[in-house]
Structure formats: structure tokens, C-alpha cells
Amino acid sequence: IRAQTRHVLTTIETILALAGLGLDDVVKTTVMLTDWRHYGAYNEVYRAFFTAPYPARSTVSGSLGILGALIEIEAIAMAGAHATAIVATSP
């Protein structure tokens, strides 16, 4: 799962770079795992790619359409998101 997570996030990073964006411009991800037992290892790699304020994230578990895939990640990015990020916290 670590290798697949790294591969998916590196691919997303490359696609964003081709559009003149970076991972700091990601505002939301949806992560699909085939097995919840992989959550800790995937999250460890995921956190190495993103910095605070982290994008909003949904993580779900289920079967994937690609044979052998343990993870899929969908990312939504917005140009300039890193410059205009607002973090809401409660007291």
C-alpha cells in the first residue's frame, strides 16, 4: 500500500505540475481503499506529501476497478488555493 500510495500521489503531483499547479493547490481528496487495514500505512505516506493546512479528505473502502489496485485517489485542485487558505477551528 505504501508503494501504491506513493505512486498515485506522485502521478497526481506530475499532472498538477503540467497544469502549473502543485499539491498545495489541492483543496479536496477522495481516497478509496480496498481494505481498512491499510489505512495507517497509506496515511503515513499521504501525510508526507501534504502540509498544513491539509486538504479536506474523505476516505472510503470498497472494491476498485483496476485489478491489483489497493488504492485510488481523486484530487480537486484550485489555482492559488495555497495562498488563500482559511483554516476554521473551534475554541
Side-chain angles (χ1 to χ4, degrees):
I1 190 68
R2 284 181 179 88
Q4 285 192 23
T5 303
R6 196 171 297 106
H7 175 76
V8 171
L9 289 171
T10 300
T11 300
I12 290 170
E13 192 172 38
T14 300
I15 292 166
L16 289 169
L18 291 171
L21 303 171
L23 289 174
D24 286 345
D25 294 305
V26 174
V27 295
K28 168 77 167 74
T29 62
T30 302
V31 180
M32 284 95 25
L33 296 172
T34 58
D35 190 328
W36 274 112
R37 292 174 291 187
H38 294 150
Y39 183 87
Y42 122 76
N43 195 49
E44 177 186 305
V45 175
Y46 184 94
R47 291 179 142 265
F49 277 79
F50 292 99
T51 57
Y54 299 101
R57 172 173 54 160
S58 299
T59 304
V60 297
S61 180
S63 62
L64 302 176
I66 302 170
L67 186 63
L70 302 175
I71 187 169
E72 281 186 22
I73 301 175
E74 171 187 78
I76 299 171
M78 183 178 82
H82 64 282
T84 59
I86 297 172
V87 179
T89 60
S90 61

